[in-house]
Amino acid sequence: RKQDTNLPPGPKPWPVIGSLHLLGEHETPFQAFTSLSKVYGDVFSITLGTSKCVVVNNFNLIKEVLITKGADFGGRPDFIRFHKLFGGDRNNSLALCDWSSLQKTRRSIARTYCSPRFTSLQYDHVNAVGCKEVSVFLVELKKKDFSQPIELKPMILAACANMFTQYMCSTSFNYDDSDFKKVVRTFDEIFWEINQGYAVDFLPWLLPIYKGHMEKLSSWASDIRKFILARIIDEHRLSLDHNLPPRDFTDALLMHLDEDPNLNWQHIIFELEDFLGGHSAIGNLVMITLACVVKHKEVVKRIQQEVESVTGGKRLPTLFDKASMPYTEATIWETLRTASSPIVPHVATLNTEIDGYTIEKGTVIFVNNYELNVGEDYWDEPEKFKPERFLSPNGNVVKPAHFIPFSTGKRTCIGQRLVQSFSFILLTTLFQEYDIEPACDLKLRPGCVAVPPDCFKLKLTPRNK
Ligand code: HEM
């Protein structure tokens, strides 16, 4: 029942910590949100530290926040960690900034390169880059000793990083290059970091305790900056020809810098760093997909059959095989469903409403997509890993409307086409070339699309074709 104040109902906060303790009662905060929604309803308030928050828990309300009233909820929370990672100001970041006309410009520059349409020249380019870099990756992988479990993550990340630098900056790096290895690791540390929740996000007075941690975040950001300037931008700038169309995303950014008075050098560099950092998300998704798939021998078998029926075992798979490999594509969707990457919290930028309840300006909005991904109201046997749930009776890939792993609305993920493209090329190639088995327990953290920088190894056996 709606309360007289018309604020959404919710647990009564304790002094100082609010209701933070309630989130600790489950493995993930999203499971806690689901169980609180059973008590307080599908939209409820919760005070975390001193922050006023509201959680929305069903698809209709989530659409209201992300689409119908998307313009009212375009802000992001003001966590200190976010500032530290982006040169002292989270508005330098594309994912953690508040909505602004600058953000609109940045998204539109990125769109051509990071969201290439299926029939575009850019898509051909994504394919060419993906295939070239996966071949280099295979050569490196063949050097490994297959009698031992293999630490695959650094290699997968290096392959993804090269796909990104080649595609966005027309340059790639040697797997033995120690500066490159270090920067790939640093990006991965940041990705893991961004996927953690910390009490200090809501209790800023804990900051002194986190001083060392915050300094580490700032130093990661400055190491990345040095590498990108010295190894990518400096050369690119020297060879830029303003009379020709942009060769790549880096050219497009540099050209915009000269043409658009609202963009400055910092914006350009941060945007490039931000997008290059996207490779970590893909590397982690590939690792998570492997962890999910190798536990299910029948899934591995079906992927291998599919890739062989398409390539005849005579060539490596390409992006243009994707349409003929629905089961493999469905496997990636099923991984995204079960991993359930959280949607970055939104913030109300004005006084507004959700489902008739008052939402005050500045309220942090958590979108409980965990419920959309694993709730019994939405899926049959949600706890099971079943790629075929994404296949129609005639074998085409179908995604239910409530399945929004990349979110929806004005702040939807810009990198989703690159995710689908590069992860497909890497996974299909790996399964074509190797039988892959677990080498240890592969427990994954629910509600998280990241695995720790030092994670599980896998047993690889080259396949006799
Ligand atoms: C496993 C891979 C990925 C997943 C599951 C994922 C998912 C998401 C989600 C859920 C959001 C939040 C949208 C919202 O707040 O409503 C987001 C935002 C974003 N993603 Fe991704 N993403 C992935 C990879 C990437 C990659 C590879 C890139 C870049 C190439 C990227 C770029 C962005 C950007 C820039 C935003 C912020 C958009 C904005 O706030 O305006 N993502 N992503």
Side-chain angles (χ1 to χ4, degrees):
R1 199 178 68 83
K2 297 188 184 184
Q3 294 172 339
D4 297 340
T5 55
N6 212 26
L7 291 170
K12 196 166 175 296
W14 285 6
V16 187
I17 63 164
S19 297
L20 262 183
H21 59 292
L22 296 177
L23 304 192
E25 288 173 6
H26 291 78
E27 210 176 347
T28 74
F30 286 89
Q31 288 163 329
F33 291 157
T34 296
S35 78
L36 287 166
S37 74
K38 308 263 189 289
V39 181
Y40 299 103
D42 277 345
V43 49
F44 66 84
S45 340
I46 183 163
T47 306
L48 300 178
T50 49
S51 305
K52 271 186 280 179
C53 307
V54 161
V55 187
V56 285
N57 294 278
N58 74 39
F59 184 49
N60 281 336
L61 296 176
I62 289 174
K63 277 193 296 187
E64 187 178 340
V65 170
L66 296 176
I67 301 176
T68 336
K69 299 210 181 100
D72 298 358
F73 296 105
R76 295 291 196 202
D78 212 17
F79 299 156
I80 297 164
R81 286 189 304 137
F82 292 176
H83 291 297
K84 295 285 172 193
L85 285 166
F86 290 91
D89 181 358
R90 69 178 170 83
N91 281 313
N92 287 323
S93 147
L94 270 98
L96 308 174
C97 65
D98 293 325
W99 187 258
S100 63
S101 64
L102 169 68
Q103 176 71 346
K104 225 170 135 182
T105 310
R106 293 191 297 200
R107 282 186 67 110
S108 80
I109 307 173
R111 197 166 296 126
T112 319
Y113 296 91
C114 300
S115 299
R117 280 203 311 272
F118 182 60
T119 48
S120 65
L121 279 176
Q122 285 305 328
Y123 195 80
D124 290 354
H125 191 207
V126 171
N127 180 51
V129 167
C131 293
K132 172 180 170 279
E133 292 306 333
V134 89
S135 306
V136 177
F137 164 77
L138 281 184
V139 171
E140 291 299 320
L141 189 53
K142 281 194 184 116
K143 296 178 187 165
K144 296 278 172 191
D145 169 9
F146 295 112
S147 67
Q148 299 296 322
I150 301 213
E151 206 185 329
L152 205 54
K153 193 180 190 197
M155 296 196 67
I156 297 271
L157 285 172
C160 292
N162 272 337
M163 287 178 184
F164 269 59
T165 56
Q166 186 61 50
Y167 178 66
M168 293 179 182
C169 324
S170 311
T171 186
S172 58
F173 299 90
N174 199 302
Y175 280 55
D176 299 328
D177 181 327
S178 57
D179 291 341
F180 172 63
K181 282 206 286 208
K182 194 167 163 243
V183 88
V184 169
R185 169 83 188 194
T186 305
F187 268 125
D188 192 35
E189 303 261 14
I190 293 180
F191 187 67
W192 177 245
E193 162 73 29
I194 269 183
N195 277 280
Q196 311 302 308
Y198 283 93
V200 67
D201 293 342
F202 298 102
L203 305 171
W205 47 266
L206 286 178
L207 197 59
I209 304 174
Y210 286 83
K211 191 166 173 283
H213 185 74
M214 295 297 171
E215 280 167 5
K216 190 169 73 182
L217 302 192
S218 306
S219 81
W220 281 343
S222 79
D223 292 349
I224 287 178
R225 169 66 50 99
K226 280 186 208 134
F227 179 88
I228 289 182
L229 287 179
R231 302 288 303 271
I232 297 179
I233 295 283
D234 288 351
E235 266 175 47
H236 221 92
R237 265 184 126 181
L238 290 175
S239 59
L240 179 68
D241 185 341
H242 282 271
N243 299 316
L244 294 175
R247 290 165 295 182
D248 52 26
F249 184 46
T250 310
D251 271 6
L253 283 169
L254 290 168
M255 286 172 166
H256 265 273
L257 175 65
D258 293 338
E259 288 155 17
D260 188 337
N262 297 317
L263 279 182
N264 64 36
W265 177 244
Q266 290 295 320
H267 295 138
I268 296 297
I269 299 298
F270 275 116
E271 178 153 1
L272 186 62
E273 278 172 9
D274 224 341
F275 278 102
L276 287 176
H279 83 268
S280 306
I282 302 185
N284 277 271
L285 174 66
V286 169
M287 291 307 292
I288 291 180
T289 311
L290 290 172
C292 293
V293 167
V294 299
K295 283 188 250 179
H296 301 89
K297 284 209 167 92
E298 69 294 352
V299 178
V300 175
K301 217 165 148 196
R302 279 190 71 175
I303 295 176
Q304 288 179 331
Q305 277 167 352
E306 204 171 57
V307 67
E308 263 149 42
S309 76
V310 167
T311 65
K314 294 194 184 79
R315 60 168 177 87
L316 294 178
T318 80
L319 269 189
F320 297 100
D321 296 324
K322 194 149 148 243
S324 327
M325 297 181 63
Y327 186 82
T328 307
E329 189 186 340
T331 306
I332 299 175
W333 292 122
E334 179 67 341
T335 305
L336 282 165
R337 182 189 74 81
T338 50
S340 190
S341 171
I343 290 179
V344 189
H346 288 232
V347 166
T349 50
L350 39 81
N351 291 333
T352 179
E353 287 186 355
I354 301 174
D355 198 26
Y357 286 114
T358 306
I359 306 294
E360 293 167 359
K361 180 179 172 179
T363 306
V364 178
I365 313 292
F366 286 97
V367 172
N368 187 356
N369 64 326
Y370 188 75
E371 187 54 22
L372 295 187
N373 286 328
V374 303
E376 297 211 323
D377 292 348
Y378 297 98
W379 307 92
D380 177 35
E381 301 187 306
E383 69 296 343
K384 292 210 172 131
F385 188 82
K386 286 200 306 191
E388 55 276 21
R389 70 172 83 246
F390 286 104
L391 294 179
S392 69
N394 55 8
N396 295 325
V397 176
V398 272
K399 289 181 279 140
H402 63 259
F403 180 57
I404 48 164
F406 297 105
S407 188
T408 176
K410 67 195 287 178
R411 300 217 64 165
T412 186
C413 177
I414 314 181
Q416 47 189 301
R417 294 220 177 98
L418 291 183
V419 175
Q420 291 164 55
S421 305
F422 289 144
S423 64
F424 177 84
I425 292 187
L426 266 163
L427 286 159
T428 49
T429 306
L430 267 170
F431 281 116
Q432 169 161 290
E433 299 297 306
Y434 293 92
D435 284 322
I436 310 178
E437 288 163 289
C440 61
D441 180 28
L442 295 177
K443 186 158 170 32
L444 298 170
R445 186 195 288 188
C448 183
V449 87
V451 290
D454 294 305
C455 72
F456 54 86
K457 295 180 179 178
L458 292 163
K459 177 96 187 67
L460 268 67
T461 315
R463 298 181 73 211
N464 293 325
K465 282 182 273 135

